[in-house]
Amino acid sequence: MYKSVYLQHWQRNALFTFFQKFENPTWDISADLDVTSFYKITKRNESSFFLSFLYIATQVGNSIDAFRQRIMDDGSVIEFDVIHPGSTILYDNQTFGFGYFKYQSDFNLFLKDALVEFENQKNKKDMDPKDEDLGRFYFSPIPWISFTSFRHPFRKDANHSIPLIVFGKHYERGGLRLMPVGLTLHHGLADGYHAGLFFNRLQEALNVFEDFGT
């Protein structure tokens, strides 16, 4: 379900109109997040780090209105009630495809269903792109690299309003386990303020994962 955003009464209307003129209106930012406690909990509970992170990041993304807004082909803007995660999945033949998961507020229900979808997609080994499905956050795990920046490829006719989230190899520094997280946003919908909300809320959620992950 979604609602329409009435542009003439929208406080971002001027910014939205300005960035709609750009050939590529997206921007990128990355930061290291502390996953020390989160990592220990997933190991202790034998939960999937990957799917647990998808859950937390989707939960946080849904808490930010701008992250649930999408630009339609006619230039109108809609705002979804709930956004669900999609992610690249590596296959055992070193190719990848896309998996699509249903966000549920109950972590254990989400994890149960997501594990089934994850295994099904690994067995199918197809790409299964769903470009028309705008009600998604799209994730890309890159567990081999602790990157400091990232840039996505874009088709000219792609919808640039879907937030893209990458997360990389975690590493230890100063007694902490850190993980790089990259975020790509449409500048007409979101700016540094919204990215700040996302990263700060995501860190807070990672810190208290034990509260809802057991």
Side-chain angles (χ1 to χ4, degrees):
M1 298 291 292
Y2 60 84
K3 63 182 180 181
S4 297
V5 175
Y6 296 102
L7 300 184
Q8 62 270 31
H9 302 303
W10 190 27
Q11 61 186 8
R12 288 191 65 86
N13 189 26
L15 288 168
F16 172 74
T17 302
F18 176 72
F19 283 107
Q20 280 292 83
K21 302 172 184 176
F22 282 54
E23 181 177 355
N24 182 358
T26 64
W27 65 286
D28 312 274
I29 190 169
S30 61
D32 286 342
L33 294 182
D34 180 359
V35 296
T36 308
S37 175
F38 174 72
Y39 176 78
K40 291 178 179 178
I41 295 297
T42 58
K43 286 296 183 183
R44 188 186 72 192
N45 295 347
E46 297 182 346
S47 299
S48 165
F49 183 97
F50 162 65
L51 293 175
S52 298
F53 183 78
L54 254 63
Y55 170 83
I56 289 184
T58 301
Q59 182 189 60
V60 170
N62 271 304
S63 74
I64 303 170
D65 292 350
F67 282 39
R68 290 183 280 107
Q69 293 169 349
R70 301 290 182 269
I71 303 170
M72 308 303 286
D73 291 341
D74 62 2
S76 62
V77 178
I78 62 172
E79 183 177 305
F80 284 95
D81 296 334
V82 178
I83 299 294
H84 303 276
S87 178
T88 56
I89 295 178
L90 180 69
Y91 302 142
D92 56 13
N93 61 2
Q94 286 74 58
T95 64
F96 73 91
F98 303 97
Y100 303 93
F101 310 98
K102 180 181 179 182
Y103 173 72
Q104 302 179 71
S105 58
D106 185 294
F107 170 71
N108 293 307
L109 289 178
F110 168 81
L111 188 59
K112 179 182 177 181
D113 291 347
L115 283 169
V116 173
E117 172 59 28
F118 179 75
E119 291 301 325
N120 286 342
Q121 187 59 41
K122 286 188 71 173
N123 290 331
K124 288 192 295 184
K125 289 185 174 62
D126 58 4
M127 281 199 67
D128 194 25
K130 291 182 171 26
D131 296 338
E132 74 284 353
D133 188 357
L134 301 182
R136 297 280 174 185
F137 299 122
Y138 285 113
F139 292 84
S140 296
I142 308 176
W144 312 278
I145 305 169
S146 294
F147 57 81
T148 56
S149 63
F150 190 87
R151 186 61 180 157
H152 289 274
F154 285 98
R155 291 201 325 264
K156 291 182 178 180
D157 60 346
N159 190 307
H160 294 341
S161 62
I162 301 174
L164 306 175
I165 301 166
V166 298
F167 53 106
K169 179 181 180 181
H170 32 98
Y171 63 96
E172 293 188 5
R173 186 178 69 195
L176 299 177
R177 182 175 291 270
L178 304 176
M179 182 176 74
V181 177
L183 177 67
T184 299
L185 300 170
H186 189 293
H187 218 333
L189 300 177
D191 47 42
Y193 168 77
H194 304 93
L197 287 179
F198 177 75
F199 279 105
N200 289 330
R201 290 179 183 178
L202 181 54
Q203 183 63 74
E204 292 171 1
L206 290 167
N207 291 343
V208 299
F209 177 68
E210 189 171 10
D211 289 348
F212 54 79
T214 58

